[in-house]
Amino acid sequence: MATTDTKRPSVLNTILHSLEFRMLGLALVLAIALSLLSPYFLTQRNLFNVMDQSVVIGIVAVGMTFVILTGGIDLSVGAIFGLCGVVLALALKEYPIVLAIPIAVGAGALIGLFSGVLIAIFGLAPFVVTLGVMAIGRSLSFILSGQRSLSGLPPDLQNIVYSSFLGIPANVLFLIALYAAAWLYLTYTKGGRTIYAVGSNAEAARAAGLSTTFYSILPYVVSGALSAVAVTFSLAQIMSADPLAGNQLELDAIAAVVIGGASLYGGRGSIIGTLLGVLIMVMIRNGLNLMGVSPFWQGSAIGSIIILALLAERLINWRSTR
Amino acid sequence: MTHHDTETRAAPLLSARGVSKTFGSTKALVDASIDLRPGEVCGLLGANGAGKSTLSRIISGHIAPTGGELTLGGKPFAITSTRDAFNSGIALVAQETSLAPDMNVLENIFLPDLARPGRLSFGKLRARATEILLSLGHDHALPLHAEVRTLSAAQRQLVEIAKALALDARLVIFDEPTASLSPTEVDSLFDIMAKLRDDGRALAFVSHRLEEVFAITDRVTILREGTTVAEDVATADLTQNDIIRHMVGKDIGAIYDVRRDGYAMTDAPVFEVKHLKAEPWVRDISFSVRGGEILGLGGLVGAGRSEAAEAIFGLRARQGGEIFVNGTQVHPRRPAEAVRHGLGFVAEDRRAQNIVPDLSVRENLLLAQMGRHKGFGRGFSAVREKMETLIGQLGLPADRLDQSLLNYSGGMQQKIIIARWLLIEPRILILDEPTKGVDIGTRSSIYKLLQEVADAGVAVVVISSDFEELLGICERIVVVSDGFTIADLPKDKLSEEKLTLLAAPRTSTERNTAVLRDLSDAHKGQAFWTLIDGDELICLAAVTHPDGPKTGLEPGQAVRAEDTAIPAALAARNDTFTPDADGIATALIQLKDRRGHDLGWIGLTVQADALPDIDAIKTRVARLTRPEQES
């Protein structure tokens, strides 16, 4: 038995058949369609706008990608976003910016560590653990903030968004650097590959001597910390911390990762796919806004695109396995 | 068995012609054909990976064929689901049973009925179940309310058979049903099969144990590499060699390249395991391996061998026992720690325990290296040269390293998994069923590879339920049964038959041991159960009275007749007491099953001045081989 007749595919063929390539195609088609529908879409100012709007969800989606690659899910990112925003605002009243930001990011990481330990060591279901953490996080952010927005933040905080390099705003530069670092980490390091292996077949990874427990916890820590980083950029723009901030952010982040081709069973997906997923989501929102479509319709549009993207992917895979 | 008469043969109930089946790029079946006729047992034979199980799953409707024709009662027959198979009266008694472990016997027997519309009457079902079990002659052996998880392997099989009869199956396929049964249990299974055949049902018997094939089948069909190479041949017209030639396509000797005599072995064991305990499967397992040695860990499926290996490797919690590497005690709690002590482990289930499907071949190959690597990066460059050499050695296509491992054949996957460990140069390599689902060509290259690994000084442990394989490649075999080490013997003292007897589950040998205890107590002597082969003895069990004489026989040990205290009795080998030196006398009674197979000898050694009545002892011993009169 067991005759294999796989030929070596050409490099071009590999690229053309990769998921990222199809997603890039989808993003380009969307961009062209939107530029036809709205002349304003392709202006430099609007493109910067799209990038700017991608920062918050883009940062959170990196952490979500780590988590989903292990086969988990993190529903608590929105709540951590809100809570860490409040923590940052409170810390800024006492400490300088360079100390306050690490406190907020540390708080996010600690919350992630809490979820990660419960999931990886005690074997609880990620969905349930992070659902609980979401409720606790949101509740704490209301309590700490006294149920109101905290303003009066130091004006210097704005520098992390409004300084620029070569004409590119700092927050967009940070996003690009973050994606490059995350891509390198996931592709070329022991930790990154272990995260893939855990999601693909944790038992085999463990039997091969990989530190599966550590790398099952790490993604939740990264996800929590990055939620705090994201809220830092958000606060620098809005200059006030709302305890309700980041409501339903987890859904946007999960949607971006899934549109980017990651499997919710883990092991499959890429950081480039996630970036494209983020851009596709933001472009749709932006385009619909430009065209004056009611914001109430945007949910339907984004939901349909998620389902269509998954369906197309499944149909393509069906064809290729038959 | 007068079923070979061609003139009176019934038309085939089910006929499969030119069936093929492809899984991804793997061709499990190429051109398979088989006819199954009412009132016959047809053996479906083939080596590991020949496609036996695939074909039986196709004709039982578990999977759909890629090509070919199926006819049932002469009409074209398209099965799309197991339900179709049920409705057409086809049932599969699978090797790994398809029972729901948390449900009771009754519910399992009528599981397919649960899907029928309308209300179920449990009273009626109970009556029918009792009737079915009665027809099998096992109404008392199976409590209907017992949860299936608490049953023995043989009892579960009985539930499967009852399930097939509850559907009134006209065709029953037995897929390697004897894999975890003791010789006595196999015997009673064959009685049931004969009964079903005489009822006019068509039976298929899938196996690679030739002795069983000759015992129960009327005809055989042989598969090799997915193709039928001999079809519908009368069993009586075949010899073992004919069958092997068909199965293998060449002489069997070529597969196991017998190791040359001059291999180097270290004097001290490199690896020792003492009294390993990991409940519930592993109760007391001990063995040791020297560098350069290939040790076999043999036993039936479910005997606790895999679980022992997992416990050693830190994949399973241990409750007791000591592990030594080069004389130093180690306590691996995780695989990563075991790797640090120089262990490598190829687990049994390739897909579930070894392969990481979303990583490329290269990364799968380098997975253990990556786990061992201490730095931040992947640690691939450190072993690049070694990897290239290894890839050349194994015949891996170097330009396909970035593909998915799932595109490769089972044999190539297995080689890659073994190479994963060789890359980090382990001192001890444990392989669990290393040739499961591997085609014959690749099997022999895996055996050769293992011999090369051993020649390089590595201590190799091979776990297998294929006794022929163990005898082919190992120098020494440790037999495990029901979580205990039963025997530790060099290969040349063993044969497949002896291994089968040694590996029998404790539950089936308990009765023998109980008789030995009775005899020993009643006559203040030593009672033993032993295999005799020329002047070699292998003691299966022995019970010694504290005041009784000693024969020098130890359970699980091989001994030469002249080295015991009873050489004269062993030479005479008769069922009267033969005196030996030191005033002791021994009687030996041969055990044979109903098919005349040698099950060894029961012996009783007593002081020669008080000889007991031999006839009573003979009657007691004779009852051992007729279990149904026992209860």
Side-chain angles (χ1 to χ4, degrees), chain B residues 173-190:
Chain B
I173 301 156
F174 291 85
D175 188 2
E176 309 231 8
T178 56
S180 39
L181 300 188
S182 73
T184 347
E185 290 164 341
V186 170
D187 246 26
S188 75
L189 174 71
F190 284 177

Side-chain angles (χ1 to χ4, degrees), chain A residues 302-312:
Chain A
I302 289 177
S304 311
I305 287 186
I306 294 174
I307 292 171
L308 282 175
L310 284 179
L311 187 64

Side-chain angles (χ1 to χ4, degrees), chain A residues 18-308:
Chain A
S18 73
L19 187 87
E20 288 86 352
F21 185 80
R22 288 199 290 271
M23 286 303 150
L24 184 64
L26 178 61
L28 287 176
V29 168
L30 249 157
I32 292 166
L34 289 172
S35 62
L36 292 176
L37 288 167
S38 161
Y40 183 71
F41 181 79
L42 260 188
T43 58
Q44 192 197 2
R45 195 163 152 213
N46 187 52
L47 288 183
F48 270 124
N49 212 2
V50 167
M51 295 301 285
D52 191 64
Q53 287 166 1
S54 303
V55 171
V56 164
I57 169 176
I59 293 173
V60 174
V62 170
M64 190 65 78
T65 307
F66 277 54
V67 171
I68 287 180
L69 280 177
T70 64
I73 194 118
D74 189 351
L75 299 179
S76 65
V77 288
I80 297 177
F81 183 93
L83 177 59
C84 289
V86 172
V87 169
L88 179 60
L90 293 174
L92 282 168
K93 291 195 199 310
E94 307 282 332
Y95 307 106
I97 295 175
V98 286
L99 202 58
I101 293 179
I103 288 174
V105 173
L110 265 180
I111 300 171
L113 181 66
F114 175 73
S115 309
V117 166
L118 288 178
I119 291 162
I121 295 178
F122 293 93
L124 303 186
F127 188 95
V128 181
V129 170
T130 57
L131 190 70
V133 170
M134 173 171 97
I136 296 169
R138 193 58 80 189
S139 138
L140 287 181
S141 66
F142 279 116
I143 289 169
L144 288 180
S145 66
Q147 300 97 52
R148 60 197 161 79
S149 290
L150 303 172
S151 48
L153 306 179
D156 283 351
L157 188 63
Q158 291 183 322
N159 288 345
I160 65 169
V161 175
Y162 294 112
S163 50
S164 65
F165 181 73
L166 298 175
I168 305 170
N171 58 350
V172 175
L173 274 179
F174 178 84
L175 187 71
I176 294 169
L178 177 67
Y179 270 86
W183 180 75
L184 286 172
Y185 181 77
L186 285 177
T187 316
Y188 289 114
T189 69
K190 177 170 82 174
R193 299 322 288 170
T194 305
I195 286 173
Y196 273 93
V198 165
S200 184
N201 187 346
E203 202 184 334
R206 190 167 124 80
L210 300 179
S211 320
T212 48
T213 311
F214 179 80
Y215 289 106
S216 302
I217 297 175
L218 183 71
Y220 292 94
V221 177
V222 169
S223 176
L226 286 180
S227 299
V229 170
V231 82
T232 306
F233 282 105
S234 169
L235 243 59
Q237 278 178 314
I238 309 169
M239 292 304 282
S240 108
D242 180 354
L244 204 61
N247 196 24
Q248 299 203 346
L249 180 61
E250 61 279 356
L251 297 186
D252 281 353
I254 294 167
V257 175
V258 171
I259 292 176
S263 158
L264 286 179
Y265 297 109
R268 216 170 300 168
S270 81
I271 203 73
I272 297 171
T274 298
L275 180 61
L276 292 169
V278 168
L279 290 177
I280 288 170
M281 295 238 319
V282 173
M283 275 197 307
I284 294 169
R285 279 231 173 95
N286 176 274
L288 294 174
N289 280 336
L290 290 180
M291 286 182 284
V293 176
S294 149
F296 299 112
W297 276 109
Q298 291 184 5
S300 297
I302 289 177
S304 311
I305 287 186
I306 294 174
I307 292 171
L308 282 175

Side-chain angles (χ1 to χ4, degrees), chain B residues 325-337:
Chain B
V325 174
N326 281 335
T328 315
Q329 191 172 0
V330 298
H331 308 272
R333 275 162 304 159
R334 295 180 292 123
E337 289 175 16

Side-chain angles (χ1 to χ4, degrees), chain B residues 513-536:
Chain B
T513 312
V515 169
L516 295 183
R517 196 171 302 119
D518 286 354
L519 290 177
S520 158
D521 283 352
H523 308 296
K524 295 198 168 47
Q526 184 182 42
F528 53 87
W529 176 24
T530 185
L531 299 174
I532 304 179
D533 182 12
D535 62 345
E536 286 282 356

Side-chain angles (χ1 to χ4, degrees), chain B residues 47 69 93-94 104 242 274 287 327-328 342 360 369 386-387 395 400 440 479 522 527 555 631:
Chain B
E69 266 178 39
V93 176
N104 69 27
D242 294 337
K274 290 179 185 167
F287 62 89
T328 315
S360 66
Q369 159 67 13
K386 209 189 308 168
M387 186 175 109
R400 283 174 51 194
I440 293 193
V479 182
S631 49

